[in-house]
mmCIF file of all heavy atoms in Angstrom:
data_model
loop_
_atom_site.group_PDB
_atom_site.id
_atom_site.type_symbol
_atom_site.label_atom_id
_atom_site.label_comp_id
_atom_site.label_asym_id
_atom_site.label_seq_id
_atom_site.Cartn_x
_atom_site.Cartn_y
_atom_site.Cartn_z
ATOM 1 N N PHE A 1 333.667 94.707 66.342
ATOM 2 C CA PHE A 1 332.400 95.230 65.834
ATOM 3 C C PHE A 1 331.407 94.096 65.597
ATOM 4 O O PHE A 1 331.660 93.174 64.841
ATOM 5 C CB PHE A 1 332.665 95.992 64.528
ATOM 6 C CG PHE A 1 331.452 96.650 63.940
ATOM 7 C CD1 PHE A 1 330.759 97.617 64.649
ATOM 8 C CD2 PHE A 1 331.016 96.296 62.678
ATOM 9 C CE1 PHE A 1 329.651 98.235 64.106
ATOM 10 C CE2 PHE A 1 329.905 96.905 62.117
ATOM 11 C CZ PHE A 1 329.206 97.878 62.837
ATOM 12 N N GLU A 2 330.273 94.147 66.323
ATOM 13 C CA GLU A 2 329.220 93.141 66.224
ATOM 14 C C GLU A 2 329.779 91.731 66.394
ATOM 15 O O GLU A 2 329.361 90.789 65.717
ATOM 16 C CB GLU A 2 328.467 93.283 64.895
ATOM 17 C CG GLU A 2 327.752 94.622 64.751
ATOM 18 C CD GLU A 2 326.999 94.752 63.437
ATOM 19 O OE1 GLU A 2 327.073 93.808 62.608
ATOM 20 O OE2 GLU A 2 326.330 95.779 63.225
ATOM 21 N N ASN A 3 330.726 91.596 67.296
ATOM 22 C CA ASN A 3 331.340 90.304 67.586
ATOM 23 C C ASN A 3 330.803 89.803 68.915
ATOM 24 O O ASN A 3 331.178 90.300 69.975
ATOM 25 C CB ASN A 3 332.867 90.428 67.627
ATOM 26 C CG ASN A 3 333.551 89.062 67.670
ATOM 27 O OD1 ASN A 3 332.905 88.046 67.883
ATOM 28 N ND2 ASN A 3 334.859 89.066 67.467
ATOM 29 N N ASP A 4 329.969 88.802 68.844
ATOM 30 C CA ASP A 4 329.367 88.243 70.059
ATOM 31 C C ASP A 4 330.083 86.982 70.507
ATOM 32 O O ASP A 4 329.517 86.154 71.221
ATOM 33 C CB ASP A 4 327.887 87.950 69.828
ATOM 34 C CG ASP A 4 327.671 86.997 68.651
ATOM 35 O OD1 ASP A 4 328.688 86.599 68.029
ATOM 36 O OD2 ASP A 4 326.510 86.653 68.364
ATOM 37 N N GLY A 5 331.320 86.833 70.081
ATOM 38 C CA GLY A 5 332.073 85.631 70.387
ATOM 39 C C GLY A 5 332.100 84.640 69.245
ATOM 40 O O GLY A 5 332.781 83.615 69.321
ATOM 41 N N GLY A 6 331.373 84.930 68.173
ATOM 42 C CA GLY A 6 331.353 84.038 67.032
ATOM 43 C C GLY A 6 332.621 84.098 66.212
ATOM 44 O O GLY A 6 332.902 83.200 65.428
ATOM 45 N N ARG A 7 333.401 85.186 66.357
ATOM 46 C CA ARG A 7 334.688 85.302 65.668
ATOM 47 C C ARG A 7 335.787 85.278 66.726
ATOM 48 O O ARG A 7 335.805 86.097 67.645
ATOM 49 C CB ARG A 7 334.755 86.602 64.862
ATOM 50 C CG ARG A 7 333.567 86.803 63.940
ATOM 51 C CD ARG A 7 333.782 87.885 62.891
ATOM 52 N NE ARG A 7 334.209 89.170 63.397
ATOM 53 C CZ ARG A 7 333.380 90.133 63.822
ATOM 54 N NH1 ARG A 7 332.077 89.919 63.838
ATOM 55 N NH2 ARG A 7 333.858 91.288 64.229
ATOM 56 N N ALA A 8 336.712 84.331 66.583
ATOM 57 C CA ALA A 8 337.733 84.151 67.620
ATOM 58 C C ALA A 8 338.631 85.368 67.738
ATOM 59 O O ALA A 8 339.073 85.727 68.838
ATOM 60 C CB ALA A 8 338.571 82.906 67.318
ATOM 61 N N PHE A 9 338.912 86.033 66.607
ATOM 62 C CA PHE A 9 339.804 87.187 66.649
ATOM 63 C C PHE A 9 339.039 88.403 67.151
ATOM 64 O O PHE A 9 338.161 88.935 66.472
ATOM 65 C CB PHE A 9 340.389 87.469 65.270
ATOM 66 C CG PHE A 9 341.313 88.655 65.252
ATOM 67 C CD1 PHE A 9 342.520 88.624 65.931
ATOM 68 C CD2 PHE A 9 340.963 89.813 64.579
ATOM 69 C CE1 PHE A 9 343.370 89.721 65.926
ATOM 70 C CE2 PHE A 9 341.806 90.909 64.565
ATOM 71 C CZ PHE A 9 343.011 90.869 65.242
ATOM 72 N N ASP A 10 339.380 88.845 68.354
ATOM 73 C CA ASP A 10 338.721 89.996 68.966
ATOM 74 C C ASP A 10 339.743 90.678 69.874
ATOM 75 O O ASP A 10 340.143 90.129 70.902
ATOM 76 C CB ASP A 10 337.506 89.543 69.779
ATOM 77 C CG ASP A 10 336.733 90.712 70.400
ATOM 78 O OD1 ASP A 10 337.262 91.848 70.413
ATOM 79 O OD2 ASP A 10 335.620 90.483 70.881
ATOM 80 N N ILE A 11 340.184 91.885 69.472
ATOM 81 C CA ILE A 11 341.112 92.652 70.303
ATOM 82 C C ILE A 11 340.485 94.001 70.647
ATOM 83 O O ILE A 11 341.137 95.035 70.673
ATOM 84 C CB ILE A 11 342.489 92.829 69.621
ATOM 85 C CG1 ILE A 11 342.354 93.452 68.231
ATOM 86 C CG2 ILE A 11 343.222 91.501 69.536
ATOM 87 C CD1 ILE A 11 343.700 93.821 67.601
ATOM 88 N N GLY A 12 339.178 93.960 70.935
ATOM 89 C CA GLY A 12 338.435 95.180 71.238
ATOM 90 C C GLY A 12 338.986 95.944 72.422
ATOM 91 O O GLY A 12 338.842 97.171 72.494
ATOM 92 N N ALA A 13 339.634 95.246 73.368
ATOM 93 C CA ALA A 13 340.186 95.930 74.537
ATOM 94 C C ALA A 13 341.315 96.881 74.158
ATOM 95 O O ALA A 13 341.675 97.761 74.959
ATOM 96 C CB ALA A 13 340.688 94.905 75.546
ATOM 97 N N LEU A 14 341.882 96.725 72.950
ATOM 98 C CA LEU A 14 342.996 97.567 72.521
ATOM 99 C C LEU A 14 342.548 98.688 71.593
ATOM 100 O O LEU A 14 343.380 99.461 71.104
ATOM 101 C CB LEU A 14 344.055 96.708 71.808
ATOM 102 C CG LEU A 14 344.528 95.461 72.562
ATOM 103 C CD1 LEU A 14 345.538 94.686 71.718
ATOM 104 C CD2 LEU A 14 345.118 95.831 73.909
ATOM 105 N N ALA A 15 341.243 98.795 71.351
ATOM 106 C CA ALA A 15 340.744 99.772 70.385
ATOM 107 C C ALA A 15 340.839 101.205 70.895
ATOM 108 O O ALA A 15 340.774 102.148 70.098
ATOM 109 C CB ALA A 15 339.298 99.456 70.014
ATOM 110 N N GLY A 16 340.995 101.398 72.204
ATOM 111 C CA GLY A 16 341.035 102.750 72.750
ATOM 112 C C GLY A 16 342.432 103.251 73.085
ATOM 113 O O GLY A 16 342.575 104.294 73.739
ATOM 114 N N LEU A 17 343.474 102.542 72.626
ATOM 115 C CA LEU A 17 344.835 102.947 72.966
ATOM 116 C C LEU A 17 345.196 104.271 72.305
ATOM 117 O O LEU A 17 345.094 104.414 71.077
ATOM 118 C CB LEU A 17 345.834 101.881 72.509
ATOM 119 C CG LEU A 17 345.729 100.480 73.128
ATOM 120 C CD1 LEU A 17 346.809 99.576 72.548
ATOM 121 C CD2 LEU A 17 345.830 100.538 74.636
ATOM 122 N N ASP A 18 345.623 105.251 73.113
ATOM 123 C CA ASP A 18 346.153 106.467 72.506
ATOM 124 C C ASP A 18 347.615 106.221 72.104
ATOM 125 O O ASP A 18 348.150 105.128 72.300
ATOM 126 C CB ASP A 18 346.032 107.663 73.442
ATOM 127 C CG ASP A 18 346.746 107.459 74.781
ATOM 128 O OD1 ASP A 18 347.640 106.578 74.863
ATOM 129 O OD2 ASP A 18 346.416 108.166 75.750
ATOM 130 N N ARG A 19 348.242 107.239 71.543
ATOM 131 C CA ARG A 19 349.595 107.027 71.037
ATOM 132 C C ARG A 19 350.546 106.586 72.146
ATOM 133 O O ARG A 19 351.373 105.688 71.952
ATOM 134 C CB ARG A 19 350.109 108.335 70.399
ATOM 135 C CG ARG A 19 351.524 108.241 69.855
ATOM 136 C CD ARG A 19 351.614 107.368 68.625
ATOM 137 N NE ARG A 19 352.912 106.760 68.455
ATOM 138 C CZ ARG A 19 353.420 106.376 67.300
ATOM 139 N NH1 ARG A 19 352.726 106.530 66.190
ATOM 140 N NH2 ARG A 19 354.607 105.815 67.212
ATOM 141 N N GLU A 20 350.427 107.179 73.308
ATOM 142 C CA GLU A 20 351.333 106.836 74.410
ATOM 143 C C GLU A 20 351.118 105.400 74.867
ATOM 144 O O GLU A 20 352.080 104.647 75.077
ATOM 145 C CB GLU A 20 351.109 107.801 75.572
ATOM 146 C CG GLU A 20 352.054 107.580 76.740
ATOM 147 C CD GLU A 20 351.858 108.596 77.855
ATOM 148 O OE1 GLU A 20 351.127 109.585 77.633
ATOM 149 O OE2 GLU A 20 352.430 108.396 78.943
ATOM 150 N N ALA A 21 349.848 104.992 74.985
ATOM 151 C CA ALA A 21 349.556 103.624 75.415
ATOM 152 C C ALA A 21 349.963 102.617 74.339
ATOM 153 O O ALA A 21 350.425 101.511 74.655
ATOM 154 C CB ALA A 21 348.077 103.485 75.741
ATOM 155 N N TYR A 22 349.787 103.002 73.082
ATOM 156 C CA TYR A 22 350.194 102.127 71.978
ATOM 157 C C TYR A 22 351.708 101.932 71.993
ATOM 158 O O TYR A 22 352.203 100.817 71.831
ATOM 159 C CB TYR A 22 349.740 102.748 70.661
ATOM 160 C CG TYR A 22 350.179 101.998 69.421
ATOM 161 C CD1 TYR A 22 349.552 100.816 69.036
ATOM 162 C CD2 TYR A 22 351.216 102.492 68.637
ATOM 163 C CE1 TYR A 22 349.958 100.142 67.884
ATOM 164 C CE2 TYR A 22 351.627 101.826 67.487
ATOM 165 C CZ TYR A 22 350.990 100.647 67.120
ATOM 166 O OH TYR A 22 351.402 99.992 65.991
ATOM 167 N N ASP A 23 352.456 103.001 72.211
ATOM 168 C CA ASP A 23 353.911 102.896 72.251
ATOM 169 C C ASP A 23 354.370 101.977 73.385
ATOM 170 O O ASP A 23 355.383 101.294 73.259
ATOM 171 C CB ASP A 23 354.534 104.276 72.428
ATOM 172 C CG ASP A 23 354.526 105.081 71.143
ATOM 173 O OD1 ASP A 23 354.372 104.468 70.066
ATOM 174 O OD2 ASP A 23 354.646 106.318 71.205
ATOM 175 N N ALA A 24 353.611 101.954 74.481
ATOM 176 C CA ALA A 24 353.998 101.165 75.649
ATOM 177 C C ALA A 24 353.364 99.777 75.665
ATOM 178 O O ALA A 24 353.500 99.055 76.651
ATOM 179 C CB ALA A 24 353.597 101.921 76.925
ATOM 180 N N LEU A 25 352.681 99.401 74.579
ATOM 181 C CA LEU A 25 351.962 98.125 74.543
ATOM 182 C C LEU A 25 352.901 96.955 74.819
ATOM 183 O O LEU A 25 353.934 96.790 74.160
ATOM 184 C CB LEU A 25 351.296 97.949 73.175
ATOM 185 C CG LEU A 25 350.505 96.654 72.960
ATOM 186 C CD1 LEU A 25 349.290 96.608 73.870
ATOM 187 C CD2 LEU A 25 350.087 96.521 71.504
ATOM 188 N N GLU A 26 352.547 96.122 75.790
ATOM 189 C CA GLU A 26 353.301 94.912 76.095
ATOM 190 C C GLU A 26 352.807 93.766 75.208
ATOM 191 O O GLU A 26 351.652 93.766 74.778
ATOM 192 C CB GLU A 26 353.121 94.538 77.566
ATOM 193 C CG GLU A 26 353.697 95.541 78.549
ATOM 194 C CD GLU A 26 355.214 95.503 78.574
ATOM 195 O OE1 GLU A 26 355.778 94.421 78.293
ATOM 196 O OE2 GLU A 26 355.827 96.534 78.865
ATOM 197 N N PRO A 27 353.650 92.797 74.924
ATOM 198 C CA PRO A 27 353.194 91.658 74.132
ATOM 199 C C PRO A 27 351.958 90.998 74.746
ATOM 200 O O PRO A 27 351.908 90.771 75.957
ATOM 201 C CB PRO A 27 354.397 90.710 74.145
ATOM 202 C CG PRO A 27 355.571 91.617 74.335
ATOM 203 C CD PRO A 27 355.092 92.707 75.242
ATOM 204 N N VAL A 28 350.968 90.702 73.898
ATOM 205 C CA VAL A 28 349.707 90.142 74.392
ATOM 206 C C VAL A 28 349.155 89.180 73.344
ATOM 207 O O VAL A 28 349.303 89.388 72.145
ATOM 208 C CB VAL A 28 348.688 91.271 74.688
ATOM 209 C CG1 VAL A 28 348.355 92.066 73.423
ATOM 210 C CG2 VAL A 28 347.420 90.730 75.326
ATOM 211 N N GLN A 29 348.526 88.096 73.814
ATOM 212 C CA GLN A 29 347.966 87.102 72.914
ATOM 213 C C GLN A 29 346.474 87.361 72.703
ATOM 214 O O GLN A 29 345.721 87.499 73.652
ATOM 215 C CB GLN A 29 348.157 85.689 73.486
ATOM 216 C CG GLN A 29 349.595 85.183 73.424
ATOM 217 C CD GLN A 29 349.747 83.841 74.090
ATOM 218 O OE1 GLN A 29 349.816 83.754 75.311
ATOM 219 N NE2 GLN A 29 349.819 82.767 73.292
#
């Protein structure tokens, strides 16, 4: 949210995971 790269912690690509995709989430950095 309102992260233009100024905050290193950003996992926005995972914000849309439904339950099935969340259950299947592979380890990611």
Side-chain angles (χ1 to χ4, degrees):
F1 183 61
E2 297 180 358
N3 191 348
D4 57 359
R7 308 195 307 273
F9 180 67
D10 182 347
I11 55 172
L14 309 178
L17 298 180
D18 58 20
R19 179 70 207 206
E20 183 177 350
Y22 176 76
D23 283 341
L25 180 66
E26 295 287 331
V28 61
Q29 287 176 281

